[in-house]
Amino acid sequence: MKAINQIVDTIFETLFSIPSLDVEEDLVGMGVRLQQLEAELDIKSPGVRMVGIWGVGGSGKTTLATSLCMSISCHFQGHCIVENIREESAKCGLKTLQEKILLCLLKTETRLQSVAQGKHIIRSRLSQSNVLIILDDVDHIDQLDALAGSHDWFGNGSRIIMTTRNEELLISHKEVQVFPVTLLSREEAIQLFNKRAYNKNKPVKDYDSLSLSVVSYAAGLPLALKVIGSFLCGKNEEEWRCTLARLKEKPDMEIVEILKISYDGLKPSEKQLFLDITCFFRWESTLHAMEVFEACGYGPGIGIDITVLRQKALITIVNGRFIMHDLIQEMGHYIVRHEHPNDPEKHSRVWKRDEIENMHLGDTTMVMENDKIKAIQYLYPRDGYLSLFCQNVSKMKNLRYLKAVLTTKHNIDEDTEAPSFLSNELCYIEWDGYPRSPFPNSFKPMKLVTLKLQDSLQKKLWKGYKHLPNLKVLLLNYMEYLLSTPDFDGLPCLQKLILHSCDRLAKIHPSLGNHKSLEYVSITLCKKLRMFPKIVHMGKLKTLKIHHPHAPYNKKFPTVKFPKVESNMESLVELSLESMEIDTLLSSIGERCANLISVELRDCFIKKTKANFDGLRHLEKFTLNGLMYLEDGNLFCISWLNIIKVDRGRYIRAPFMFPQFTRLRKLNVRGCRLTDAAMPSEIGEIFNLEELDLSFNYVTKLDFCLSQLTRLKVLDLSLCKELLELPELPSGLIILRAEYCNSLTIVTDFYTPCKCLCDVSFAGVRTINDGDQLIESMLQGKAVENHCMVLMLDGLKIAKPRYTLELPDNWCNNFSGFLLCGVVRSAWFTGMCQPMISIEQVMRGMDSHNDVVWEGSGDDGRSKTVVLYVSFASLRHTKWWDETRSVERSCFILKKGASVVTYGMGLGLD
């Protein structure tokens, strides 16, 4: 009888492992992910593996896990699926779930006294068994500890699969490999939606267009495609259109409730942060958003809260911006608006232009006080609504965040009344186009941290003296009518001050020079400004930028004088000045600003002051461009501070030498019109130099020894049209630019010692004797092993044009990278259009995935030959690599992105 039961169980398990029609339907568009998950489990390898499927709600995690269980369960002595752990553990407790696992795998009922006993029994009874366990919808670490504590609980060959919305759980378990589930591509989404929505017995007119609208709305989320597809199946065209219109106003509640589970599990501060990102900061820079969050009092734990949101798959951060699925954003908007969907005055956050403009539209004479709205963002209003907005803002008593981009100053009605009241709870204000009146006298925002104004009409920010004890950032841009700045004594905590293009500002309040908290000051393009306040005490200042409008060479021009520095500026590390008289600075810079790391002087003026740079022992970057020398009231242009041009053909050394800059890492003398006689030979003794720009000068050769600059990585000799030969290059050089050096002849062996070259451009160089050998040398160098290589030059012959390379079997092991060669027109290397390599996966039933692996930089030449090498090591971080190496057919494509004349492509042998 026992033998018969074993035979029956074996037959049942075999039949059960065959996927049902329902499972196959659920797997539409998920086949590749199933293959990847199975490869991650690698059931043929020994040992125990735990894999956690992580993703947003409704992304197909459970479908993947259960479908894989169906197909591979026959390879295990037993298998068990524990569903809805989040809900079941809350209802019945973890002990009940432990009993379920034991019953399912051992076929005998076990009564447990405690969770601790359950852990012990699972470990003792299953440690010799080869089992497959699915733990679905895990949301707490205690659940993992109770049901799958560690590898040694299970026998050799066992596989444990978990699904969760919270990546943190998987990471904290330590023994779990994270498998992120990706959303469907457009093509996959169309397949799944058609499976649910298409009714061949009742076809819908314009089905293709309507279905694409739904696919776009769902944005790859399988749950949304299934729910909406099932609802629309059998409906007529009018019902389809009505449904799509309704979804734009109100999301489907079945989808919202599933997505909202992740939100419900957040702490209060995390919920508030999520809603702020949802309403105001999707697609925004994380740096900008963090500035707002910190100003609004989220505190030092803000980074942890953001990590939690990311780990719960509610947000992602891509290229420094907050990214969020469309339906998750809709869910967040629903949470804010659902109690009063038609009454925005009762919402905590308001951001929709129509709702803002319709508030109190019926009666503009009686605007009731509002204590509900705490954050408002009003962008680009329609004509006629500015005054109403200002009236509404005047009644918002508890506002903490205010962003208003009303219009440019040229379109503001000068008669528009400014708000009569602004909330004293405000922490952050960003207002473009504030009316002419100063801020209200009653405005005393003790919590205000950031104030940013642009294109506003104010002549002054407020009347008299105002004390703002917590203001840290003050930014005033394009304030054309601004005549004066505030008294900075009333802003004791100010750390960052930016004044830009305030055309009528002639004077800065003298209290600025005695400000003890300022760390960053930038004053640029303020035309009438003549004097920066005397620096009495600015001990915390780290960055000082003063850029006056550029002074023409051919006539006198009023300049801003750099102020007298009366105390040491120990914290100053960055100084950038433009079109200023700097005699006062040069005489004391080494003594007063001894910790400078970066100095930039552009189009500045000196008389006969001796420069004192002796004390700058920490200087790493020195940029000096377009220095003016004043003598007897006449203006002369000189090339470089180290060489003062007094008269024709005569140069005088300036009173400092390059070698004393022992820590200098970057040196830029571009466009300084240096000849052979004027080029400072001491450059060859700056041994810590990493970047050197000698471009746009008149040298025929370099007399100093570059090869001894062993740390030099970047050398630019472009537009040195008199240059006849290249110097001996340092062995560590990575980037070499020698573009449009008309007199240059490229001869053999200049690159022989350079084993790290990976970016070389000789565009516009007429004579190149050994381009092929240069390519071969670069490909054999160290730099291309794990990175990309690019060479641009004229005159190379290229391979037969081809746009797609089909990859052979075992390509990722037999070859080392892709080699591409092409002729491109000039648009490729201008600022308007830059070259880009994209990699694409092309498979049956799949949309392509694009990953950028190399982007070019600007150039103004004609058609060029470009040779590109992309190592496989540089592709391993891409989604394309992960998915392509496990499929039968794929391709590598050079996206045009510009006018490509022709190019060839091949694989580089390992």
Side-chain angles (χ1 to χ4, degrees):
M1 188 68 182
K2 183 177 180 181
I4 293 174
N5 288 334
Q6 289 177 342
I7 293 171
V8 171
D9 288 343
T10 301
I11 294 172
F12 176 78
E13 293 287 350
T14 302
L15 292 175
F16 187 65
S17 67
I18 301 174
S20 66
L21 292 177
D22 290 339
V23 171
E24 289 180 353
E25 178 178 304
D26 285 340
L27 282 177
V28 172
M30 301 289 280
V32 172
R33 291 158 185 77
L34 193 62
Q35 293 176 27
Q36 294 167 349
L37 180 57
E38 188 169 356
E40 192 74 37
L41 286 174
D42 192 10
I43 61 175
K44 294 182 180 179
S45 67
V48 176
R49 286 198 179 189
M50 296 182 176
V51 174
I53 305 174
W54 168 63
V56 67
S59 59
K61 302 182 296 296
T62 301
T63 300
L64 274 177
T66 54
S67 299
L68 185 62
C69 179
M70 296 283 192
S71 63
I72 67 174
S73 59
C74 58
H75 298 287
F76 298 87
Q77 294 173 341
H79 71 275
C80 177
I81 300 176
V82 187
E83 298 179 321
N84 301 320
I85 290 176
R86 176 182 52 83
E87 294 181 4
E88 294 299 321
S89 62
K91 291 179 183 177
C92 310
L94 292 173
K95 183 163 62 73
T96 301
L97 297 181
Q98 290 175 325
E99 292 172 347
K100 179 178 179 179
I101 291 175
L102 292 170
L103 174 62
C104 187
L105 295 176
L106 301 177
K107 311 300 182 186
T108 57
E109 189 171 342
T110 304
R111 294 295 181 186
L112 300 175
Q113 300 301 315
S114 65
V115 172
Q117 183 192 24
K119 293 181 182 180
H120 175 74
I121 293 178
I122 290 174
R123 179 174 182 175
S124 61
R125 299 290 300 276
L126 299 181
S127 60
Q128 302 301 317
S129 299
N130 173 16
V131 297
L132 172 64
I133 300 177
I134 309 296
L135 303 177
D136 176 51
D137 198 13
V138 178
D139 74 337
H140 200 280
I141 190 63
D142 290 347
Q143 298 161 359
L144 291 183
D145 290 341
L147 305 178
S150 66
H151 283 184
D152 60 9
W153 285 24
F154 308 101
N156 186 39
S158 294
R159 298 293 185 264
I160 316 300
I161 303 174
M162 309 147 185
T163 73
T164 184
R165 303 165 186 238
N166 190 351
E167 185 189 26
E168 182 186 15
L169 297 181
L170 307 178
I171 295 173
S172 61
H173 194 276
K174 296 182 181 179
E175 295 187 347
V176 179
Q177 295 171 271
V178 180
F179 181 84
V181 60
T182 56
L183 298 179
L184 301 181
S185 69
R186 182 173 177 271
E187 186 63 32
E188 292 170 327
I190 290 172
Q191 290 185 37
L192 178 57
F193 181 73
N194 287 344
K195 193 76 175 178
R196 292 299 182 109
Y198 184 69
N199 187 341
K200 64 181 180 181
N201 297 321
K202 193 176 179 180
V204 176
K205 182 183 178 182
D206 204 17
Y207 173 84
D208 289 343
S209 175
L210 293 170
S211 63
L212 288 178
S213 296
V214 177
V215 168
S216 176
Y217 171 80
L221 191 70
L223 169 69
L225 293 163
K226 292 176 184 178
V227 170
I228 300 173
S230 298
F231 175 78
L232 290 174
C233 184
K235 299 288 194 298
N236 59 35
E237 180 187 1
E238 183 180 355
E239 291 172 309
W240 274 64
R241 295 190 183 280
C242 289
T243 299
L244 286 170
R246 178 178 59 80
L247 287 173
K248 292 179 180 179
E249 298 298 324
K250 182 180 180 182
D252 184 281
M253 289 311 300
E254 182 178 349
I255 299 171
V256 167
E257 290 302 326
I258 290 177
L259 295 175
K260 191 170 174 287
I261 291 169
S262 297
Y263 171 84
D264 292 336
L266 298 174
K267 297 176 181 177
S269 64
E270 296 164 353
K271 288 181 177 179
Q272 295 303 312
L273 179 63
F274 169 74
L275 295 178
D276 280 340
I277 295 174
T278 298
C279 297
F280 303 119
F281 299 107
R282 187 189 182 197
W283 309 115
E284 289 289 327
S285 161
T286 54
L287 292 176
H288 168 64
M290 288 293 288
E291 180 186 12
V292 177
F293 298 152
E294 291 172 4
C296 292
Y298 275 101
I302 180 67
I304 298 174
D305 290 345
I306 289 175
T307 299
V308 170
L309 298 183
R310 189 194 62 79
Q311 290 175 335
K312 288 183 177 291
L314 290 170
I315 64 170
T316 57
I317 297 176
V318 179
N319 296 327
R321 296 183 180 276
F322 285 119
I323 307 298
M324 178 182 295
H325 191 278
D326 292 344
L327 296 179
I328 290 180
Q329 185 180 44
E330 283 197 6
M331 178 265 290
H333 289 176
Y334 169 79
I335 292 171
V336 173
R337 303 173 71 248
H338 76 285
E339 291 185 2
H340 305 281
N342 299 316
D343 192 356
E345 298 162 50
K346 295 182 179 179
H347 301 164
S348 62
R349 298 160 178 84
V350 184
W351 66 95
K352 291 190 174 185
R353 187 177 68 177
D354 289 344
E355 292 185 343
I356 293 172
E357 292 177 348
N358 287 329
M359 287 194 294
H360 304 292
L361 187 60
D363 186 357
T364 59
T365 62
M366 294 185 61
V367 181
M368 303 298 292
E369 289 190 2
N370 182 294
D371 60 358
K372 302 295 184 184
I373 299 176
K374 296 182 178 179
I376 188 169
Q377 179 172 284
Y378 187 37
L379 308 180
Y380 311 111
R382 292 175 292 183
D383 291 342
Y385 286 92
L386 295 183
S387 295
L388 179 61
F389 173 72
C390 291
Q391 290 179 38
N392 286 337
V393 168
S394 299
K395 300 300 180 180
M396 297 176 185
K397 303 300 183 183
N398 288 325
L399 205 58
R400 61 183 176 89
Y401 169 75
L402 168 59
K403 180 175 181 179
V405 180
L406 301 186
T407 183
T408 65
K409 58 181 176 292
H410 304 293
N411 296 324
I412 299 176
D413 184 352
E414 294 189 4
D415 295 328
T416 299
E417 292 187 12
S420 59
F421 173 88
L422 285 173
S423 169
N424 287 325
E425 298 297 314
L426 275 164
C427 301
Y428 184 98
I429 300 175
E430 184 174 347
W431 194 309
D432 291 10
Y434 193 89
R436 184 173 295 276
S437 302
F439 288 122
N441 292 333
S442 61
F443 183 48
K444 299 176 181 178
M446 298 299 163
K447 300 178 182 178
L448 187 65
V449 175
T450 300
L451 174 59
K452 296 183 178 182
L453 299 174
Q454 180 166 302
D455 283 325
S456 297
L457 303 183
Q458 294 164 298
K459 293 182 179 180
K460 53 185 176 181
L461 300 188
W462 46 74
K463 296 178 181 179
Y465 177 88
K466 194 175 286 290
H467 182 59
L468 305 179
N470 288 301
L471 188 68
K472 294 181 179 179
V473 177
L474 177 60
L475 182 149
L476 305 174
N477 281 351
Y478 301 101
M479 303 279 284
E480 181 180 349
Y481 300 96
L482 188 69
L483 300 178
S484 62
T485 63
D487 184 339
F488 294 100
D489 287 341
L491 315 176
C493 291
L494 191 66
Q495 296 176 2
K496 187 173 185 178
L497 172 66
I498 298 176
L499 304 175
H500 177 73
S501 291
C502 300
D503 292 347
R504 302 186 188 187
L505 181 65
K507 185 178 180 181
I508 296 175
H509 198 281
S511 59
L512 181 66
N514 197 36
H515 202 287
K516 297 178 176 58
S517 296
L518 271 168
E519 298 178 4
Y520 181 98
V521 173
S522 175
I523 301 173
T524 56
L525 302 183
C526 297
K527 295 178 181 178
K528 290 192 174 182
L529 188 64
R530 296 293 172 264
M531 178 64 74
F532 187 89
K534 179 172 61 177
I535 297 176
V536 179
H537 191 292
M538 300 185 77
K540 291 187 177 181
L541 190 64
K542 298 177 181 178
T543 299
L544 176 59
K545 296 182 180 181
I546 308 176
H547 294 179
H548 198 256
H550 181 67
Y553 289 150
N554 60 352
K555 60 182 179 180
K556 296 181 180 180
F557 193 85
T559 60
V560 179
K561 294 183 179 181
F562 193 84
K564 184 178 180 181
V565 181
E566 295 188 351
S567 62
N568 292 340
M569 303 176 72
E570 299 92 349
S571 300
L572 191 67
V573 294
E574 180 181 359
L575 177 64
S576 178
L577 306 176
E578 183 170 349
S579 296
M580 296 192 68
E581 291 186 17
I582 57 174
D583 291 271
T584 305
L585 169 69
L586 294 181
S587 64
S588 61
I589 188 171
E591 176 186 356
R592 297 298 193 188
C593 311
N595 293 317
L596 276 168
I597 294 175
S598 173
V599 174
E600 181 181 42
L601 305 175
R602 295 184 180 275
D603 296 319
C604 288
F605 298 77
I606 64 172
K607 294 182 180 178
K608 294 183 178 180
T609 301
K610 182 178 179 180
N612 174 19
F613 286 87
D614 293 340
L616 301 184
R617 301 300 180 183
H618 303 282
L619 195 66
E620 296 180 6
K621 182 179 179 181
F622 187 21
T623 301
L624 194 147
N625 196 333
L627 190 68
M628 305 291 181
Y629 180 65
L630 291 171
E631 183 179 25
D632 298 329
N634 296 317
L635 194 64
F636 297 90
C637 180
I638 65 171
S639 341
W640 173 246
L641 188 58
N642 197 39
I643 303 100
I644 299 177
K645 184 177 180 181
V646 178
D647 52 33
R648 185 171 49 191
R650 184 180 174 198
Y651 298 86
I652 300 175
R653 294 285 180 183
F656 71 92
M657 303 295 287
F658 277 108
Q660 73 181 30
F661 294 154
T662 55
R663 299 185 60 179
L664 196 64
R665 296 184 300 107
K666 298 180 181 180
L667 180 60
N668 183 336
V669 293
R670 176 182 175 87
C672 291
R673 294 181 266 182
L674 299 178
T675 63
D676 290 341
M679 181 65 71
S681 60
E682 295 89 356
I683 293 177
E685 300 175 32
I686 311 176
F687 298 117
N688 286 315
L689 207 58
E690 296 177 4
E691 297 182 20
L692 176 60
D693 189 344
L694 302 175
S695 61
F696 223 141
N697 283 295
Y698 299 145
V699 293
T700 62
K701 60 181 180 179
L702 297 181
D703 289 330
F704 53 85
C705 183
L706 273 179
S707 60
Q708 66 184 10
L709 301 182
T710 56
R711 297 188 180 184
L712 193 67
K713 308 298 181 187
V714 181
L715 174 63
D716 195 343
L717 299 169
S718 299
L719 293 164
C720 291
K721 297 186 178 183
E722 309 298 326
L723 187 66
L724 298 175
E725 60 183 12
L726 289 174
E728 182 180 353
L729 301 177
S731 59
L733 197 67
I734 295 174
I735 298 174
L736 172 63
R737 295 270 188 271
E739 300 171 2
Y740 303 101
C741 297
N742 297 343
S743 304
L744 182 64
T745 298
I746 306 299
V747 296
T748 57
D749 297 337
F750 79 91
Y751 47 79
T752 301
C754 304
K755 302 301 182 183
C756 299
L757 276 177
C758 66
D759 189 341
V760 176
S761 178
F762 290 119
V765 177
R766 297 170 183 172
T767 308
I768 301 175
N769 294 336
D770 58 348
D772 293 336
Q773 294 180 34
L774 175 57
I775 295 173
E776 185 175 347
S777 175
M778 291 177 68
L779 289 173
Q780 292 175 353
K782 300 176 183 178
V784 300
E785 293 178 2
N786 298 310
H787 302 91
C788 301
M789 181 272 283
V790 56
L791 170 64
M792 184 166 64
L793 66 172
D794 296 344
L796 269 184
K797 294 181 180 179
I798 66 169
K800 182 179 179 181
R802 181 167 53 187
Y803 283 91
T804 303
L805 174 69
E806 187 168 340
L807 302 179
D809 294 338
N810 205 27
W811 58 272
C812 58
N813 296 319
N814 293 342
F815 299 90
S816 62
F818 296 110
L819 182 65
L820 305 93
C821 184
V823 174
V824 296
R825 295 193 179 96
S826 58
W828 238 37
F829 286 90
T830 65
M832 295 181 294
C833 191
Q834 296 183 351
M836 179 185 296
I837 299 175
S838 287
I839 47 183
E840 248 184 40
Q841 182 176 348
V842 179
M843 295 182 296
R844 187 179 307 128
M846 283 285 292
D847 229 6
S848 60
H849 298 305
N850 293 332
D851 288 291
V852 175
V853 294
W854 178 85
E855 292 186 8
S857 56
D859 182 329
D860 294 323
R862 300 176 181 177
S863 295
K864 307 291 183 299
T865 300
V866 181
V867 180
L868 309 169
Y869 174 78
V870 183
S871 70
F872 289 163
S874 67
L875 299 177
R876 290 193 173 95
H877 71 283
T878 64
K879 177 180 177 182
W880 177 86
W881 176 272
D882 292 336
E883 297 183 352
T884 302
R885 60 178 176 169
S886 61
V887 299
E888 296 179 358
R889 180 176 178 272
S890 190
C891 70
F892 185 86
I893 294 177
L894 177 61
K895 286 287 187 184
K896 290 194 235 182
S899 182
V900 180
V901 179
T902 182
Y903 70 85
M905 189 185 318
L907 287 165
L909 286 172
D910 203 351

